Every structure is written in structure tokens, then in C-alpha cells.
Amino acid sequence: QNHARLLITCLDQPGIVAAVSKFLFDRHANIVQSDQYSTDPEGGQFFMRVAFDVPDIKHDENLREDFKTISEKFDMDWRISFADELKRVAIFVSQQEHCLLELLWQLQSGDLTAEVPMVISNHPDHRELVESFNIPFYHIPVTKDTKKEAEAEQLALLKDKVDVIVLARYMQILSPEFVSQHPGKIINIHHSFLPAFVGAKPYERAYERGVKLIGATSHYVTNDLDEGPIIEQDIHRVNHHHRVDDLKRIGGQIERSVLARAVGWHLEDRIISHNNKTVVF
Amino acid sequence: QNHARLLITCLDQPGIVAAVSKFLFDRHANIVQSDQYSTDPEGGQFFMRVAFDVPDIKHDENLREDFKTISEKFDMDWRISFADELKRVAIFVSQQEHCLLELLWQLQSGDLTAEVPMVISNHPDHRELVESFNIPFYHIPVTKDTKKEAEAEQLALLKDKVDVIVLARYMQILSPEFVSQHPGKIINIHHSFLPAFVGAKPYERAYERGVKLIGATSHYVTNDLDEGPIIEQDIHRVNHHHRVDDLKRIGGQIERSVLARAVGWHLEDRIISHNNKTVVF
Amino acid sequence: QNHARLLITCLDQPGIVAAVSKFLFDRHANIVQSDQYSTDPEGGQFFMRVAFDVPDIKHDENLREDFKTISEKFDMDWRISFADELKRVAIFVSQQEHCLLELLWQLQSGDLTAEVPMVISNHPDHRELVESFNIPFYHIPVTKDTKKEAEAEQLALLKDKVDVIVLARYMQILSPEFVSQHPGKIINIHHSFLPAFVGAKPYERAYERGVKLIGATSHYVTNDLDEGPIIEQDIHRVNHHHRVDDLKRIGGQIERSVLARAVGWHLEDRIISHNNKTVVF
Amino acid sequence: QNHARLLITCLDQPGIVAAVSKFLFDRHANIVQSDQYSTDPEGGQFFMRVAFDVPDIKHDENLREDFKTISEKFDMDWRISFADELKRVAIFVSQQEHCLLELLWQLQSGDLTAEVPMVISNHPDHRELVESFNIPFYHIPVTKDTKKEAEAEQLALLKDKVDVIVLARYMQILSPEFVSQHPGKIINIHHSFLPAFVGAKPYERAYERGVKLIGATSHYVTNDLDEGPIIEQDIHRVNHHHRVDDLKRIGGQIERSVLARAVGWHLEDRIISHNNKTVVF
């Protein structure tokens, strides 16, 4: 109820922590958790996350306003989030349901905390499932010819309604225009292998190569396909007994748990992106 | 060279971080990494580790002295370590060499940074090995009847010469008197299973039970046998193909890597113990 | 459609594999996968699983009958299962839904293949959920005084209707009488820690002890509480930042994936129990 | 002493297992472990490994000769190895010692069983270390201009003296001519990331990208650089706190354990390569 999180990125320089600590101390905030990290104390990049409680935070209208004296002094990128202002998540999905279902289920059980104002899909398949969770479902087909219109329709639906977009196995590539409307706010999940198998039929090629590990990576979407800042990764051990279908099934299990962790960390404001990299506190 | 670490434990209360930050800021310290954690912002326990650089730290004789104004105000348990004051590690070993060898090797390669003024063993077996690393080796046999004298001899050797004692598969139980001479400064490693197999022949019993995971736990030694604060744990997957000897061999691999990580974290002042628990920053 | 699995346990002795191979060869079976394992070639226990295809297996009424000439010669415990004879699973659940939901979902998606003729619970909570999967739900309250009658009622429902019982966080201890009715056919899941925390409030105690790993174990139920043959185990790394609630949440994630793997292996006839141990092929 | 291993690859067809089993049964062999695997029972590839004991196997001169009646019938690739005919391993190393040292140490402790007739290096650094294990050390410098002569010198040393070559962080690319002299007998280790970072300075790029997992892959060397059949892979979790040097250090730990496992499986004849893939039994 009184819980807030302050996230900061700026050039490292003496006095940042002292200034932030004093600011919170003067406002009678209790610091619950504080993490900071510097790429290099001399001219590197400084990252900080402070989770804190402020009594009657709701009456403290000016917390963000007041912090500007500090943020401007140190030229900070920063934000303050309040835990009781639930983030609004739009889920994009195609035909595979495993990631969608994991998210809906964790939201229902309280393992994830967010609002889901909409699920958008280029296929009609999951309408019944989504609506059974009392979430509006929008079917917006996408073809090569209609992609521009489809994205316009998606953007209109999303406008001012969502804080983060989760691509839960959404098998369409978003245009740079779309991505630029939600910078740093789109989370994707994709399979990962050692070595990587770029291109079509990755599981078939991983099988042919006899990989011993298969994995998944969740990352923020940038305009470099599957190349945005990595949020979370995990793997599972496999062996020659596993057929292509087994690899896909196990891959799906990893995808849903990795995506759910990444989304959870985003919702708890644990992630700061910088250049093409995340700091996860 | 100018690198130091400050570790703090105290009751959580407003103003700690602000005070510490200002102290370091006033002394022109660059904070390299800072971690803090509170069990409960209201009356809980507060833990903090700050790694920082101070120019000409060697001329700054009074850093520890000056910090007392803060530490006394907040009633802190605290310490400041300087990275160039190498910790002195005594390694205790019996007949199994794998943990000893891993430590010696990582010390040699620079993966671990410490001085090793002595290796003490109740068996003569590893004299040649230890001396080949130019480390003094002391053979102090221990029997039920001579344990008291043996420990007295060990303590005399250790006195004022070591900062931490690593039990690298030392198969003797240290007396409460011995432990009380080096409180919080003795690191042990032992096998761990799910479920636990208390008592003799644990690998045999794990095999008979068909466990699917075997593991190891490194912990600080207290007078509750194998019950001190846990520093690190890890496991490896096994199956029915693994015979008792395989389990022991794999267990040994886990033991040496878990122990080396635990020792490394201790050497880097990453660990704060409180009650029967560690915080590893 | 033509897929079958043969599972064998007997004393190891020369000629077993030759006899089994010849039997299958003579019947024009294609061996898809074969695994065998012997605890000791001299007087040890021999385990074998053969997955094979037989054309028109349905017309081959006498496969089981014919195999008796071999099984009797070697005094085998054995069974032949046909993949198209779906196993019938009864799920027992209390108030926590995560394991139930994982099973229902994997059954729906085809990751698990079985029939679920009933879900039985000592609480009414999950009726709607279960019935939404078109599975009959039976609420049978259990109190200390009514346990005997409740188990009688459960057994009556189960009689001749199920092949395996999955305790999906069913928080009641089954009586020896109940267990003896379904020997080797009851699968349980429970949390596991290093070290074990026997008794009440294990997560609280794991938190207080500062464990670095939490896990789960799935096992067959015998009359030694939580001591039956282990089928599968897994762990997840945690640290001091994780509060008791986090540990419980992460523990729940491990429980559901470990239980689902164990159930899947049982359904695919991959598990042979012997003494208090499983061989999982 | 009486322990042997039979490895078979051939087109899958009915009767293989029956024939092999009968062959071993007729010779009074006790099968200790048997694994088989078929990519597809209809026209797929069949793989089998049988570990067995034969009394007085040394007097059974004709085991290999006799098996030809079976191998020719089924057109098998096959081999029989005797556990007491130690494999001879040549280790190639450059300046990094961690993989070399792990192998030497495991060989010394008996975790690996082999003879090491030579260590070959393009640098002189590890002579003393290697010779302290009583193993001949050959320093053969390699430059762009002398590579051909250097390889000729290496091949002359190896000729008829070794069964397998382990590249323990040997930082030279072997020519196709060299590889063709030891087909399927050269084991390499290299770092692996998700995603892959092809080219120079992979750890630096992994750091810049903020990967959450770093790993290593051991594989047989073919003429596709780092693209031969994968034997073993593993990963370790990292985070933003880990600097480039930490990643390298952790990567080294994974490399040495992955390589040691791969070499161990090769020495125990657990690996069959086919096309560009391994089956590890």
C-alpha cells in the first residue's frame, strides 16, 4: 500500500547515494531493499534501485516532483513506481498457447500482479480461453499485405491503455514504427540453443546436431530482431532419446517459465535497460 | 590497491544509508558496488556491504577510527577490509585430497586471492603435494585420546597467524573449545542429499534410496554439527546407472566447486552471518 | 497405435536379453527403444524396458499369453502395456491448486496422455475448475473422525476405474489400508530442502536457516511417510532476498514441474520400482 | 579385468539385438549394461552399446574375429574395447592451463583412466607442470609460416602412439590434413553463449550484451570449425555484477568440467558419432 520503487541510471559520480539516501530519509521513508551497481566508478554508468515504504504515500503528492532537484543535479534517467498502481499488460499471442496460459494462470494465482486490459492475436483460436479469464480478446489478422493496417489497429487499441506488451509466442515481426511507439516496453520470448540455429526449423536443426541443452531467452524488443537486451535465460538438459517433438515440448516448458520470470521482474520494476543490456536487481 | 569493503549489520532504522553514504562521499570514496538488505524495515535486521575505492587509502590511517562515530550512533557490528591486506587461510585436510587440491590450484591461478601460511592434517599423506606449493605442512595426528592435545597444538600453530580456517574434508569434529577460538571463521564442506541421510555411509544410503540429485553444502562451523550458517550449495543430477563409487566421485566434484566458491566469497568479504543464516552479497 | 512397452524385473542371469530379443523378433516387432540395467551381473537385479511396434498388435491377442513361457523361465516380474490403452488417473487435491492445474493443462495440451475419470478433494474449492475440463469432481471431506469412512468412499469411487492415483498436494495422509489397495500406483509430491526440515513449517525454517537451494521430490507412496521410491527431484537457487512467501511460490513452481515429469514417466511406463528405489528408463 | 564394451551402428532392422544377445550368451558373457537407440525403427539408424564381462577374456582371442559373422550380416560399424587396454591420450595445450590441469589431476586421482604418452604445446610454459606428472612434454611452436611443418612434427610424434587427441584450450586451428589423420578422435572444448558470439572477443561481447548464462561445449573436431558432433555442454548462471574477467574465470570452470566429462565418456566408450551427432550412452 505504501510501497514504492525508485530506479535510477546516470553517469557514476560521487554523492549520488548520499543524496538519494538523504532524500528518502528526510521523507521518513523506510528502505526495504536497495541495490546499486556501477560499470566503472570512474566515468562509468551508475544504476540504482531502491524499494521503500513511505507512510501515507498517497498523500505525498509531491514525491516525484521533489525528486527532480536531485535528478537534475546528477542528470539522471529515473522513475518512481508505486506498487499499488498496477501495471497494465497487453498480451500478444498467435496459435501456441503455452506462454499465454502460464501468464494468465500466474496472474490469477497472484504469482504475477498486473492488470490485463487486452489480449491481441492474429488468430481467433484462444478467444474462449482468454474470455474465460474475463479479459477482452481482439482478433486482428495479419498478412503481408495488411500488416500496416493491422499494426495501426493494434496501436489504436493499446493507446494509453497499456504499460507493457508481452509477446507470448506472437509469431509476427513488429515493424520499427510499432516498436518505436513502445520503446523498452515490449517483452519477447524465443528459443535459444548452443550453438544458435538462426533461421527456419531451429528445433529440427538442434536435433540433427545433437545438442545436449535447449533453452529460452526473454528480452526487450528493439529493431534488431531477437537482439534486444536480455532479461532472463534458462536451459534444460536433453539427450539423443529426445525426438524433435520432445525438444519442442521441453522448449515450450522453458519458454513459459523464463517469460513469466521476465515479466514478473518487469512488473516489480527490477529491470533497468542501458545500451543493449539489462541490470536485473 | 585502493580498494576497501565495509560490512555492516545493525537494527534497521532510518538514516543508516544516508549516514554511510555521506561518510564515504566526504572522504572522496568511489562506491564500486553497494548492496543492502533488510529483513524487515520495521525493527528488522539491516545488512550492508559497500565496496569502494579511496585514493591513497594507505595514507588514510583513520578510516576505521573515523567510522566509529557512525557505527556507535547506530550500534553497528561492522568491519572494514582492505583488498591488499590478504587474508591468511589455514587449510585442514585428512586423506581425501580433492578439496585441498582445488583450493591450492585456484590460489595458484589467481582465481582465489589469499595467503596460505599452513596446511594442517591428521594424516601425513599430502605433505609432498602441499610442500610443492611452498606451503608449510603440519602433520598432527588425532586419536580419541589425543584430541585435546592435538587441538592445543593446532591452536598454537594458528595463533595470530590466520584469519580463516577451511576444513577441506577434514574428517574430525572440532571441539566447542576450538570453535570458540575462531568464531565465524571456520568454513566446512559436506555432502548433501534430498532427503538427508544422517549418519554413516550416506552415499550408500543415497544409492539404495535411488536419489536423483546429489549435492554439497558449505557452511560456517558452529557447535551444532553441520548446522552452522549455510554459505553455498549446489547439486548434480544422477540416475540409476550411477553406482556408489560414481556418486562419491560426482559428490567430490560438487564439494570442491562449492567449497571454492564459499571460500572465495569469504575472501572477498561478501558474507555476513547473522543468527544462523548468511547474507551473501 | 501399434506401440507397446515391455517392462521386466528379475534376477540377473545369462540369456535374458537373448530370449526377449528372439521373442520380439519372431513376432516381427520393431524395437524402438530398449534399455536395461543390472545392479550386479552376478546375482544382482536385472531391469529392462523395451518399447516396440508390432503390426496389427490388436489382432495379436496372445502377446501377453505367449510371453509367459519366457517370464516363467526367468521368474520375471513383468508387464506389457499398449500405448493406445490410456491409463486412467485419479487426481487427489486439497486447497492448493498449482499441481492440479499443471496436470490438467498438460493433459489438455497433449504433453501428458491419460484419461482422468475423477478428481477427488477434501475441499470443495476446485469444483468449478475441474468441471470446466469436463472431469467429474468429488468432494469428500476428511476429518480425524471421518477418515475411515472418507477413505472407504474414495476407494469405492476408485474401484476398477483408475490405474494410478496422483496426490497433487493432497494434504491428508493415506492409511496403510488405502495404500495397500493401490500398491506402487500412488504418486506424491512434496517439498525438499538441503538439509531436510522435518515437521511443521518447513519453508519458514528453510528461510531462517538461509538455504541456498529449495526443491521438490516426487515419489511413490508407501506406508513410510514421504519415504517411498523417488521418481524425480529438482531444485531452484534462492538467496537471502527471497522471503518466506517467495520460497513458497518458487517451491510451488518446482513442485508442479517435478510432479508433471514424474506422472509423465509413469504414464509412458518408464519407471520400474524395486525395493525402495526406482529405475527410470 | 574381464570387462569389455561392444559398440554398434547400423541400419535398423529386425533381429539385431537377438543376434548380439545370443552371441554374448553363447560365450558366457554377463551383460553389465546395455543401451540401444534407434532414430526410426523403419529404416532408421540403430545404435547399441553393451558393456559385458567375459571370464578369461584374455584367452578369448577370437572374440573380435567371431563377431564378424554378425557384423557382416547386418553391415555394422562396430568395435570391441577391453577396459584393461588403456586408451592413450595426447593432450594439446597453449597458454591457458585450466583444462590441462583438470585432466592431469583427474587422471592422477583415478577419476579418468587412460595413459598420457605426451603433451604437445605451441608454448613452452607448461613443461615443468607436465613433467612433474612424469609425462613427456613437447614444445612445437606454430606460426602462420611454420604451421605445415609443425603439424608434420606433431603427426610424427603421434603416429601409432595415441588413440585420442584432446585439445585442452589449444588455440590453433588444425588443418584438414591433420584432422583427416585422426577422424573422430580429436576432442575440443570451447565457450558457448546464448546467443552465440562468433568471432573475436566473445566474453567481451557477452558482457556487453548482458547474457544471463555462459557455457561451454565439448565436441569432436571435424573440418567445420567448432561444428563437429557435440559431446557435452553445460552452463552457469551469471548476472550484471560479473565483469568480463569474472565471465572468463567462470567460463574456465565450466570448460574444464565439461571437457573432463566428455573425455571420460570417450575413454569409457560411451559415445557413438553418426553424421554430425553423438549418441552418449
Side-chain angles (χ1 to χ4, degrees), chain A residues 32-33 35 97-98 101-102 105-106 111 236 241 243 249 253 256 261, chain C residues 32-33 35 97-98 101-102 105-106 111 236 241 243 249 253 256 261:
Chain A
V32 178
Q33 187 180 341
D35 296 282
E97 72 180 6
H98 57 284
L101 202 41
E102 180 76 28
W105 179 18
Q106 291 206 16
D111 285 355
H236 198 88
H241 279 311
R243 314 274 169 170
R249 182 174 46 77
Q253 308 273 12
R256 59 185 176 106
R261 285 206 292 274
Chain C
V32 178
Q33 187 180 339
D35 296 281
E97 72 182 6
H98 56 284
L101 202 42
E102 181 75 29
W105 179 17
Q106 291 206 16
D111 284 357
H236 198 87
H241 279 312
R243 313 273 169 170
R249 181 175 47 76
Q253 308 273 11
R256 60 185 174 107
R261 286 206 292 274

Side-chain angles (χ1 to χ4, degrees), chain C residues 245-262:
Chain C
D245 280 352
D246 297 321
L247 299 187
K248 288 180 180 172
R249 181 175 47 76
I250 294 169
Q253 308 273 11
I254 308 168
E255 284 170 1
R256 60 185 174 107
S257 63
V258 166
L259 179 62
R261 286 206 292 274

Side-chain angles (χ1 to χ4, degrees), chain D:
Chain D
Q1 289 70 32
N2 299 317
H3 191 65
R5 300 150 194 156
L6 167 62
L7 279 82
I8 296 168
T9 313
C10 64
L11 284 182
D12 200 0
Q13 52 200 296
I16 304 172
V17 179
V20 172
S21 303
K22 186 170 183 310
F23 172 83
L24 292 172
F25 177 60
D26 290 347
R27 302 184 76 93
H28 309 294
N30 284 314
I31 295 175
V32 178
Q33 188 179 341
S34 172
D35 296 281
Q36 60 180 270
Y37 166 71
S38 179
T39 57
D40 185 345
E42 312 212 12
Q45 200 70 22
F46 173 86
F47 304 91
M48 186 173 195
R49 178 185 188 267
V50 190
F52 58 97
D53 293 335
V54 179
D56 295 318
I57 207 168
K58 283 287 125 189
H59 300 129
D60 191 355
E61 302 289 337
N62 301 317
L63 196 67
R64 285 172 175 143
E65 191 59 32
D66 294 356
F67 190 70
K68 288 186 184 165
T69 57
I70 289 175
S71 69
E72 284 167 7
K73 179 177 172 196
F74 293 99
D75 198 17
M76 293 172 169
D77 276 345
W78 66 282
R79 66 176 190 272
I80 292 176
S81 304
F82 299 104
D84 63 353
E85 292 176 1
L86 291 191
K87 286 195 176 49
R88 299 163 303 169
V89 180
I91 303 175
F92 279 45
V93 67
S94 292
Q95 289 180 289
Q96 287 182 290
E97 72 181 6
H98 57 283
C99 287
L100 168 68
L101 202 43
E102 180 76 28
L103 293 173
L104 294 180
W105 180 18
Q106 291 205 15
L107 286 158
Q108 191 177 54
S109 71
D111 285 355
L112 292 175
T113 305
E115 284 175 15
V116 183
M118 67 190 72
V119 170
I120 294 177
S121 180
N122 57 333
H123 292 277
D125 311 38
H126 301 311
R127 177 178 298 279
E128 192 182 0
L129 168 68
V130 170
E131 292 181 349
S132 77
F133 284 83
N134 293 314
I135 296 170
F137 177 89
Y138 299 96
H139 174 214
I140 303 179
V142 182
T143 67
K144 208 183 281 183
D145 293 338
T146 65
K147 180 165 171 174
K148 198 171 177 134
E149 291 75 15
E151 286 198 346
E153 194 177 343
Q154 292 165 349
L155 286 168
L157 279 171
L158 296 165
K159 192 166 173 51
D160 301 330
K161 294 254 176 49
V162 306
D163 302 300
V164 56
I165 297 166
V166 178
L167 307 183
R169 302 297 291 154
Y170 181 66
M171 306 306 283
Q172 299 289 323
I173 296 170
L174 299 174
S175 71
E177 292 70 34
F178 187 104
V179 174
S180 69
Q181 298 282 317
H182 295 275
K185 302 292 185 193
I186 309 174
I187 297 175
N188 191 27
I189 181 74
H190 68 79
H191 50 72
S192 295
F193 302 97
L194 301 162
F197 298 97
V198 181
K201 293 189 172 287
Y203 282 103
E204 282 77 0
R205 291 163 66 205
Y207 171 77
E208 279 160 23
R209 186 67 196 288
V211 298
K212 307 305 181 194
L213 303 176
I214 62 173
T217 296
S218 183
H219 63 98
Y220 287 113
V221 174
T222 61
N223 287 320
D224 283 331
L225 180 62
D226 291 345
E227 290 287 335
I230 294 167
I231 305 170
E232 172 62 333
Q233 307 184 295
D234 209 348
I235 57 94
H236 198 88
R237 184 164 282 272
V238 294
N239 63 38
H240 60 271
H241 279 311
H242 294 94
R243 315 271 168 170
V244 172
D245 280 352
D246 297 321
L247 299 186
K248 287 180 180 171
R249 182 174 46 77
I250 294 169
Q253 307 274 12
I254 308 169
E255 285 169 2
R256 60 185 174 106
S257 63
V258 166
L259 179 61
R261 285 206 292 274
V263 170
W265 294 340
H266 183 96
L267 295 175
E268 294 171 0
D269 300 295
R270 297 191 170 281
I271 311 173
I272 303 177
S273 289
H274 182 71
N275 293 338
N276 204 29
K277 184 172 176 172
T278 65
V279 170
V280 181
F281 283 126

Side-chain angles (χ1 to χ4, degrees), chain A residues 189-202:
Chain A
I189 181 74
H190 67 79
H191 50 74
S192 294
F193 302 96
L194 301 161
F197 297 99
V198 181
K201 292 191 172 286

Side-chain angles (χ1 to χ4, degrees), chain A residues 74-85:
Chain A
F74 293 99
D75 198 17
M76 292 171 170
D77 276 344
W78 66 282
R79 67 177 190 273
I80 293 176
S81 304
F82 298 104
D84 63 353
E85 292 176 3

Side-chain angles (χ1 to χ4, degrees), chain C residues 44-114:
Chain C
Q45 200 69 21
F46 173 86
F47 304 91
M48 186 174 197
R49 177 186 188 267
V50 190
F52 58 96
D53 294 335
V54 179
D56 295 317
I57 206 169
K58 283 287 124 190
H59 299 129
D60 192 354
E61 303 290 338
N62 303 317
L63 196 66
R64 284 171 174 143
E65 192 59 32
D66 293 357
F67 190 70
K68 287 186 184 166
T69 56
I70 290 176
S71 69
E72 284 168 6
K73 179 177 172 196
F74 293 99
D75 197 17
M76 294 172 169
D77 276 344
W78 66 281
R79 67 178 190 269
I80 293 177
S81 304
F82 299 104
D84 63 354
E85 293 176 1
L86 290 191
K87 287 196 176 47
R88 300 163 301 169
V89 179
I91 303 175
F92 280 45
V93 68
S94 292
Q95 289 180 288
Q96 286 182 291
E97 72 182 6
H98 56 284
C99 287
L100 169 67
L101 202 42
E102 181 75 29
L103 294 173
L104 294 180
W105 179 17
Q106 291 206 16
L107 286 159
Q108 190 177 55
S109 72
D111 284 357
L112 292 175
T113 305

Side-chain angles (χ1 to χ4, degrees), chain C:
Chain C
Q1 289 70 33
N2 300 316
H3 191 65
R5 301 151 193 156
L6 167 62
L7 278 84
I8 295 168
T9 313
C10 63
L11 284 183
D12 200 0
Q13 51 199 297
I16 304 172
V17 179
V20 171
S21 302
K22 186 168 183 308
F23 173 81
L24 292 171
F25 178 60
D26 290 346
R27 302 184 77 94
H28 309 294
N30 283 314
I31 294 174
V32 178
Q33 187 180 339
S34 173
D35 296 281
Q36 60 180 268
Y37 168 70
S38 179
T39 57
D40 185 344
E42 311 213 13
Q45 200 69 21
F46 173 86
F47 304 91
M48 186 174 197
R49 177 186 188 267
V50 190
F52 58 96
D53 294 335
V54 179
D56 295 317
I57 206 169
K58 283 287 124 190
H59 299 129
D60 192 354
E61 303 290 338
N62 303 317
L63 196 66
R64 284 171 174 143
E65 192 59 32
D66 293 357
F67 190 70
K68 287 186 184 166
T69 56
I70 290 176
S71 69
E72 284 168 6
K73 179 177 172 196
F74 293 99
D75 197 17
M76 294 172 169
D77 276 344
W78 66 281
R79 67 178 190 269
I80 293 177
S81 304
F82 299 104
D84 63 354
E85 293 176 1
L86 290 191
K87 287 196 176 47
R88 300 163 301 169
V89 179
I91 303 175
F92 280 45
V93 68
S94 292
Q95 289 180 288
Q96 286 182 291
E97 72 182 6
H98 56 284
C99 287
L100 169 67
L101 202 42
E102 181 75 29
L103 294 173
L104 294 180
W105 179 17
Q106 291 206 16
L107 286 159
Q108 190 177 55
S109 72
D111 284 357
L112 292 175
T113 305
E115 284 176 15
V116 182
M118 67 189 74
V119 171
I120 293 177
S121 181
N122 56 334
H123 291 277
D125 311 38
H126 301 312
R127 177 179 297 279
E128 192 182 359
L129 167 68
V130 170
E131 291 181 348
S132 78
F133 283 83
N134 293 314
I135 295 171
F137 177 90
Y138 299 96
H139 173 213
I140 303 180
V142 181
T143 67
K144 208 183 283 184
D145 292 339
T146 65
K147 181 165 170 174
K148 197 170 177 136
E149 292 74 16
E151 287 199 346
E153 194 177 345
Q154 292 166 347
L155 286 168
L157 279 172
L158 296 166
K159 192 165 173 49
D160 300 329
K161 294 253 176 49
V162 305
D163 301 301
V164 56
I165 297 166
V166 178
L167 306 183
R169 302 297 292 154
Y170 181 66
M171 306 306 282
Q172 299 289 324
I173 296 170
L174 299 174
S175 71
E177 291 70 35
F178 188 105
V179 173
S180 70
Q181 298 280 317
H182 296 274
K185 300 294 184 192
I186 308 175
I187 297 175
N188 191 27
I189 181 75
H190 67 79
H191 51 74
S192 294
F193 302 95
L194 301 161
F197 297 99
V198 181
K201 293 191 172 284
Y203 282 103
E204 281 77 1
R205 290 164 65 205
Y207 171 77
E208 278 160 24
R209 185 69 196 288
V211 298
K212 307 306 181 191
L213 302 175
I214 61 172
T217 295
S218 183
H219 64 99
Y220 287 113
V221 175
T222 61
N223 287 321
D224 283 332
L225 179 62
D226 290 346
E227 289 287 337
I230 296 168
I231 305 171
E232 171 64 331
Q233 307 184 294
D234 210 348
I235 56 95
H236 198 87
R237 185 165 280 273
V238 294
N239 62 39
H240 60 270
H241 279 312
H242 294 95
R243 313 273 169 170
V244 172
D245 280 352
D246 297 321
L247 299 187
K248 288 180 180 172
R249 181 175 47 76
I250 294 169
Q253 308 273 11
I254 308 168
E255 284 170 1
R256 60 185 174 107
S257 63
V258 166
L259 179 62
R261 286 206 292 274
V263 170
W265 294 339
H266 182 96
L267 295 176
E268 294 171 0
D269 299 295
R270 296 192 171 279
I271 312 172
I272 301 178
S273 289
H274 183 70
N275 293 338
N276 203 30
K277 184 171 177 172
T278 65
V279 171
V280 181
F281 283 124

